[in-house]
Amino acid sequence: MNLEKAGGRLCSGKRASLPAARPFPVIQKVMASMAHLQKEKLQLQEELLGLQEKLAAQENDELSLSLQLQGQVETLKAKVLEQAQEISRLRSELGGTDAEKHRDLLAAENERLRQEMKACEGELRELRRQQQQQAPCRDCHHLQENAGLQEQLSQLQREAEETRAKLVELDLEVQQKTNRLAEVELRLKDSLAERAEEEERLSRRLRDSQETIASLKSQPQQIKYIIKTVEVESAKAKQALCETQSRNQYLQEQVGMQRQVLKEMEQQLQSSQKTEAQLRAQIVMYEAELERAHGQMLEEMQAMEEEKNRAIEEAFSRAQVEMKAVHENLAGVRTNLLTLQPALRTLTHDYNSLKRQVRDFPLLLQETLRSARAEISQAIEEVHSTNRELLRKYRRELQLRKKCHNELVRLKGNIRVFGRVRPITKEDGEGPEAANAVTFDTDDDAVLHLLHKGKQVSFELDKVFPPQASQEEVFQEVQALVTSCIDGYNVCIFAYGQTGAGKTYTMEGTAANPGINQRALQLLFSEVRSKAADWDYTITVSAAEIYNESLRDLLGKEPQEKLEIKLCPDGSGQLYVPGLTEFRVQSVEDINKVFDFGHVKRVTECTNLNEHSSRSHALLIITVRGLDRSTGLRTTGKLNLVDLAGSERVGRSGAEGSRLREAQHINKSLSALGDVIYALRSRQGHVPFRNSKLTYLLQDSLSGDSKTLMMVQVSPAEKNTSETLCSLKFAERVRSVELGPVSRKAELASWPSQEQLEGDSPGSAATPGRGHASHSPGQLSSRSASIRRKLHTSGKLRSVPL
Ligand code: ADP
Ligand code: MG
């Protein structure tokens, strides 16, 4: 599979004109697969050899076994032959007796056995031949059975051997007895013949004598004489006859004895024949057993043979399958090799061309380097000129941006007023006093409504943040102001509102959720970093507090020391505070250190209105000084972040003595701030900066093209609606002075003090133009009326560009 894949990939690589370095891994893969296949083939061959060796060993075993068997059969045959000879010899000696017939039968039986043996041998030879022809049995577990059977066979053969020995002994005995019998018979025959001859002779003599007697009787004298002689001679003859008869008697006794002996011998022969028959039966039995064992062995061998054949066939078919697979693999490898060859040719060709390229490379490189150098220097030149052009454009754009920004600020107004409503807190308590009195316009984020003494008063600012607005959302709206201080603008952000309205929360925030101060510094850091390629910036921080109209350094060694605001001696008309500590900050850690340091030193006192009430103005003054390295241009921008003291009315706080004095100072400075803003908005020739320490200190940052943001903080609680109303009136008035010089003048003339703000009735504030309507007739009223009209006709409040 791998090979095929490799081959396929290679072919496709070749079609795609074969990238110079790619085919090598393919060839390596193919070679690896070939090696793997070769290894497999070798392993298979080894297995095959092992099988063949096993088979050969088995064959050898079987051969030696069959040789043994053959030897045994040979000896048996020889013995049987001997026996047969012996029997034939006996038969020739004894003639056709029963024993002979028996022996003939045995011989026939022997002959039959021999035939069977021969058949067995033939089968054995056939088996051996088949074994030689067939593949070897891989794991012949029948060898042991075979050995057992052979053991049995040899045991039987041993028994047969013993029986045969006994038979031989018996044969010998039979032979001896037969010999003796033959001798006795011979002797008997001789004596019988003798007796017959004697009887013949005697009977002849008797007949002669009787004839003689008769002839004599016919011749009386002579006969008498002769009779007398014969009688005399007859007595002699009678005696001879008696002797002969006694001898005959003796001979007959002898014959009887001989017959007796013969009978005995015949009995002996019969018993020995019986024994022989028994032995033969035993032999027959043994031979039957032998035959059975042989048959069993043959069966076993047959079964073994079959199993062996089966195993051989299986092994053979497995080997064939494996060989086939190996052949197929080999064929695959061959085809792969064949497909690889063109790729190799292409590779060789590529390699040669690469070699040529490498040979020519130094020259080519030198030439290329020369031209590249020329091109690079030309490109550098071009880049330089482009850079110069870009720098020029950039500076022009910078100027343009500054102009645009200024224009935008001018259009939007240098003073922007935002309102932020804090959420109802635990400190507000429960019940109707803590009820929410502030609502918002869903279509206009610059409008809020205050329910005061049963009447709803609407206010329009530049933007209103509802209680759910996050610190981040608030900061997003002020960050443009913050960054403009990098461009050299002075910026003031004030948090205005009654104590507990959320001024400190907006400016400082919490450690987990910082306010404008920390976010502004972080933004400045990141902006400065992004401009670090062209500009060098330093950011310094001062923290001061104005308490009872005296300025104190919050970062100085002696915070109680009152600082003075002075004109710069260089005649530039700039103000400065001698002795005010400035910290250079570079990281958030530095900022935190400064804030912590300042916090400790800030004077906060509690009144009965709110135990966290702050009775001083806290200022964080961030100065950003920049140097454009390419032009040498220097810029200085100041960001003043002011957390004003509480704007609540003194009468309400119930303060007396020093507390009253504090409240008066606060009211005075807040009124002065309002005055300055009015004067600036209405572009008055004289701006009363010096009326308070706060405005005097911030003079630089409030005049000229400086930008100011007033964040008016209000509480939504029912119990705070009077203060909320005052704060929102202040906010709207600050914002409304953008109408124009005439109106501004008029506004400036009628700018109310904190006390005046206190005196505004909600009824008058609810009318179009609201809180300031009684103080600002003319254009202001008409503009407010037009806004209101728009609000009512369109159904939503929109910011109207002024
Ligand atoms: P101030 O400085 O005007 O006296 P604080 O900033 O101390 O008022 O706020 C008074 C309480 O109101 C504080 O507990 C402050 O955490 C909570 N607070 C003020 N503004 C928010 C706001 N936007 N979200 C949540 N809590 C606020
Ligand atoms: Mg505060």
Side-chain angles (χ1 to χ4, degrees):
M1 288 294 277
N2 286 343
L3 281 170
E4 280 165 27
K5 274 186 198 169
R9 242 184 290 156
L10 188 75
C11 288
S12 64
K14 191 192 132 205
R15 274 201 295 281
S17 83
L18 217 69
R22 268 184 118 165
F24 289 120
V26 179
I27 293 166
Q28 279 172 353
K29 263 191 187 172
V30 171
M31 297 302 266
S33 329
M34 271 174 67
H36 180 67
L37 278 172
Q38 204 71 31
K39 221 161 92 182
E40 272 186 10
K41 193 183 146 190
L42 280 172
Q43 273 178 357
L44 280 170
Q45 278 176 348
E46 274 173 19
E47 261 181 47
L48 207 62
L49 276 173
L51 279 171
Q52 279 172 352
E53 274 172 14
K54 269 189 191 171
L55 193 64
Q58 205 179 346
E59 259 179 37
N60 281 343
D61 286 352
E62 281 177 8
L63 201 68
S64 64
L65 186 69
S66 64
L67 279 172
Q68 266 182 12
L69 279 171
Q70 211 176 0
Q72 283 172 359
V73 166
E74 288 296 328
T75 46
L76 273 173
K77 250 175 23 180
K79 278 177 186 169
V80 167
L81 203 69
E82 270 176 28
Q83 218 173 354
Q85 280 170 359
E86 190 65 34
I87 286 165
S88 66
R89 194 176 60 76
L90 275 170
R91 196 169 53 180
S92 65
E93 281 175 10
L94 285 172
T97 59
D98 284 348
E100 278 175 358
K101 280 175 196 162
H102 218 93
R103 207 173 46 204
D104 286 346
L105 274 172
L106 279 173
E109 191 61 34
N110 261 350
E111 187 60 28
R112 193 180 61 76
L113 279 171
R114 226 183 356 259
Q115 290 299 323
E116 278 182 18
M117 202 78 91
K118 261 184 190 165
C120 276
E121 278 171 5
E123 276 176 30
L124 204 62
R125 264 197 301 280
E126 181 63 22
L127 267 173
R128 244 197 330 273
R129 196 181 53 76
Q130 279 178 5
Q131 278 175 7
Q132 277 166 1
Q133 278 176 357
Q134 283 163 353
C137 178
R138 188 174 280 199
D139 44 2
C140 191
H141 58 278
H142 301 290
L143 276 173
Q144 286 180 351
E145 287 179 35
N146 198 7
L149 282 168
Q150 277 174 359
E151 185 81 7
Q152 269 185 12
L153 186 67
S154 59
Q155 178 76 21
L156 285 168
Q157 278 170 349
R158 269 198 302 279
E159 282 176 16
E161 198 75 18
E162 281 169 16
T163 315
R164 263 187 219 106
K166 272 186 192 172
L167 191 66
V168 167
E169 274 175 23
L170 280 170
D171 277 347
L172 214 70
E173 212 177 312
V174 166
Q175 199 188 348
Q176 282 172 358
K177 282 181 179 172
T178 318
N179 286 348
R180 269 169 61 200
L181 188 65
E183 273 174 28
V184 170
E185 274 178 345
L186 270 176
R187 272 210 313 271
L188 189 65
K189 266 181 192 170
D190 287 346
S191 50
L192 280 172
E194 263 179 36
R195 197 185 69 175
E197 272 176 26
E198 192 72 21
E199 274 177 352
E200 186 69 34
R201 196 175 50 82
L202 283 172
S203 56
R204 229 177 13 248
R205 269 182 75 183
L206 189 60
R207 245 182 348 260
D208 288 345
S209 301
Q210 280 170 346
E211 277 172 12
T212 311
I213 290 165
S215 63
L216 281 171
K217 270 176 180 174
S218 54
Q219 297 165 8
Q221 286 301 325
Q222 204 185 349
I223 288 170
K224 275 181 188 172
Y225 175 72
I226 290 167
I227 285 169
K228 274 186 185 168
T229 337
V230 168
E231 276 176 356
V232 172
E233 277 181 14
S234 166
K236 281 180 189 173
K238 273 181 184 171
Q239 199 183 349
L241 185 68
C242 278
E243 277 174 12
T244 310
Q245 274 177 339
S246 65
R247 216 180 138 199
N248 194 15
Q249 188 75 28
Y250 167 74
L251 277 170
Q252 271 178 341
E253 276 173 9
Q254 280 284 315
V255 165
M257 272 172 62
Q258 286 299 323
R259 280 216 176 97
Q260 192 67 31
V261 169
L262 186 67
K263 213 173 181 177
E264 275 175 16
M265 283 187 78
E266 270 178 351
Q267 274 172 356
Q268 271 186 2
L269 186 67
Q270 267 173 0
S271 74
S272 65
Q273 275 172 347
K274 245 185 220 167
T275 317
E276 193 190 348
Q278 276 175 358
L279 283 168
R280 290 213 187 272
Q282 225 172 340
I283 285 172
V284 165
M285 200 181 73
Y286 282 140
E287 277 176 347
E289 209 167 326
L290 190 69
E291 197 179 348
R292 195 178 52 74
H294 187 73
Q296 206 179 339
M297 192 190 81
L298 279 176
E299 270 174 26
E300 294 280 339
M301 274 179 78
Q302 184 81 18
M304 274 167 63
E305 198 62 37
E306 277 169 14
E307 206 158 322
K308 189 183 84 183
N309 287 347
R310 221 177 17 255
I312 286 166
E313 266 170 32
E314 270 175 30
F316 189 68
S317 59
R318 217 173 29 242
Q320 264 184 339
V321 168
E322 280 169 7
M323 278 303 283
K324 205 173 160 189
V326 167
H327 277 301
E328 275 170 14
N329 277 338
L330 265 173
V333 169
R334 268 196 210 107
T335 44
N336 279 331
L337 270 175
L338 284 174
T339 48
L340 274 172
Q341 270 169 0
L344 264 173
R345 271 200 293 280
T346 326
L347 271 176
T348 322
H349 180 259
D350 286 356
Y351 172 70
N352 287 336
S353 70
L354 270 175
K355 230 159 73 173
R356 275 199 298 281
Q357 278 180 19
V358 166
R359 208 175 41 236
D360 303 340
F361 185 69
L363 277 174
L364 204 73
L365 186 72
Q366 272 179 3
E367 209 169 301
T368 317
L369 275 175
R370 250 200 313 280
S371 66
R373 265 194 215 111
E375 273 175 31
I376 286 167
S377 48
Q378 196 184 339
I380 287 170
E381 196 53 45
E382 276 171 21
V383 167
H384 269 308
S385 63
T386 317
N387 267 354
R388 275 196 294 275
E389 180 63 16
L390 279 174
L391 209 65
R392 196 180 58 73
K393 279 183 184 164
Y394 167 70
R395 291 210 181 104
R396 210 182 59 208
E397 285 301 315
L398 212 64
Q399 294 296 324
L400 212 64
R401 186 186 134 190
K402 208 168 172 179
K403 260 190 204 164
C404 286
H405 188 79
N406 285 340
E407 189 60 23
L408 187 74
V409 170
R410 196 186 61 74
L411 284 171
K412 275 188 167 180
N414 273 354
I415 293 182
R416 311 200 72 212
V417 183
F418 290 171
R420 187 177 189 187
V421 185
R422 73 155 166 82
I424 300 271
T425 61
K426 269 191 215 156
E427 282 75 29
D428 292 323
E430 282 175 9
E433 283 216 321
N436 180 37
V438 179
T439 49
F440 301 88
D441 196 303
T442 46
D443 297 318
D444 196 336
D445 62 358
V447 172
L448 65 77
H449 314 287
L450 175 71
L451 193 67
H452 179 62
K453 292 185 180 167
K455 290 198 175 150
Q456 183 169 295
V457 194
S458 299
F459 294 92
E460 188 189 3
L461 307 175
D462 289 309
K463 178 146 182 90
V464 172
F465 295 103
Q468 64 273 17
S470 67
Q471 298 282 65
E472 198 175 343
E473 281 172 52
V474 172
F475 185 70
Q476 265 171 12
E477 289 295 322
V478 297
Q479 65 182 13
L481 279 180
V482 174
T483 45
S484 72
C485 110
I486 294 175
D487 296 332
Y489 288 97
N490 289 340
V491 179
C492 275
I493 299 175
F494 295 103
Y496 177 95
Q498 76 174 109
T499 298
K503 299 183 294 295
T504 309
Y505 184 83
T506 296
M507 297 311 286
E508 287 178 17
T510 58
N513 202 4
I516 292 171
N517 291 3
Q518 204 183 99
R519 286 173 198 268
L521 276 163
Q522 279 179 15
L523 179 67
L524 288 176
F525 287 143
S526 73
E527 286 288 310
V528 160
R529 262 199 304 276
S530 69
K531 289 185 167 191
D534 304 306
W535 288 80
D536 284 333
Y537 282 105
T538 51
I539 300 173
T540 55
V541 171
S542 298
E545 182 192 65
I546 297 170
Y547 175 68
N548 281 349
E549 279 304 286
S550 48
L551 179 68
R552 299 195 301 180
D553 185 3
L554 287 179
L555 305 177
K557 283 177 186 149
E558 291 187 34
Q560 298 307 319
E561 191 186 344
K562 290 179 184 174
L563 299 177
E564 290 302 319
I565 305 162
K566 291 189 174 169
L567 266 170
C568 264
D570 59 4
S572 62
Q574 297 274 312
L575 292 168
Y576 83 109
V577 181
L580 183 66
T581 314
E582 256 188 287
F583 272 127
R584 185 171 173 185
V585 285
Q586 284 171 314
S587 64
V588 180
E589 287 76 46
D590 292 348
I591 305 168
N592 290 334
K593 267 186 223 161
V594 169
F595 288 168
D596 290 346
F597 199 62
H599 259 286
V600 176
K601 296 187 176 171
R602 187 163 183 211
V603 175
T604 55
E605 301 265 341
C606 294
T607 69
N608 61 3
L609 185 71
N610 185 329
E611 60 177 332
H612 295 297
S613 168
S614 168
R615 310 309 303 162
S616 64
H617 309 300
L619 293 97
L620 182 72
I621 304 156
I622 302 164
T623 311
V624 184
R625 295 184 180 88
L627 167 68
D628 184 346
R629 281 198 294 272
S630 57
T631 57
L633 182 78
R634 282 181 191 277
T635 59
T636 305
K638 250 190 206 169
L639 175 64
N640 300 282
L641 303 166
V642 189
D643 182 359
L644 292 168
S647 64
E648 59 273 7
R649 285 160 295 177
V650 183
R652 256 192 145 200
S653 67
E656 289 173 350
S658 65
R659 293 283 175 273
L660 183 66
R661 213 177 76 238
E662 275 175 6
Q664 281 166 349
H665 279 302
I666 291 161
N667 284 345
K668 190 188 153 205
S669 61
L670 291 176
S671 297
L673 180 64
D675 290 344
V676 166
I677 291 170
Y678 277 119
L680 287 167
R681 284 287 147 231
S682 54
R683 298 204 168 90
Q684 294 286 313
H686 172 70
V687 182
F689 290 115
R690 286 180 177 243
N691 281 0
S692 79
K693 273 266 157 43
L694 179 71
T695 48
Y696 190 38
L697 180 68
L698 297 176
Q699 184 176 341
D700 291 349
S701 305
L702 289 167
S703 56
D705 53 5
S706 302
K707 295 150 197 184
T708 301
L709 171 72
M710 183 71 79
M711 182 71 80
V712 178
Q713 298 283 150
V714 292
S715 155
E718 173 63 41
K719 62 176 181 184
N720 297 127
T721 49
S722 296
E723 289 299 336
T724 305
L725 188 72
C726 284
S727 298
L728 289 170
K729 276 182 190 170
F730 177 85
E732 204 172 47
R733 283 193 188 108
V734 169
R735 192 172 169 263
S736 65
V737 288
E738 287 179 55
L739 283 170
V742 180
S743 140
R744 279 196 291 267
K745 262 183 204 157
E747 279 298 316
L748 186 67
S750 61
W751 179 251
S753 68
Q754 290 296 105
E755 283 74 19
Q756 281 172 316
L757 282 168
E758 271 175 54
D760 278 344
S761 72
S764 61
T767 56
R770 297 170 302 273
H772 57 264
S774 56
H775 306 287
S776 54
Q779 280 186 338
L780 178 60
S781 302
S782 65
R783 177 201 168 252
S784 295
S786 84
I787 293 167
R788 199 59 31 209
R789 266 200 305 282
K790 278 188 186 178
L791 281 170
H792 288 296
T793 51
S794 66
K796 50 182 176 177
L797 285 164
R798 305 279 319 151
S799 234
V800 185
L802 302 168

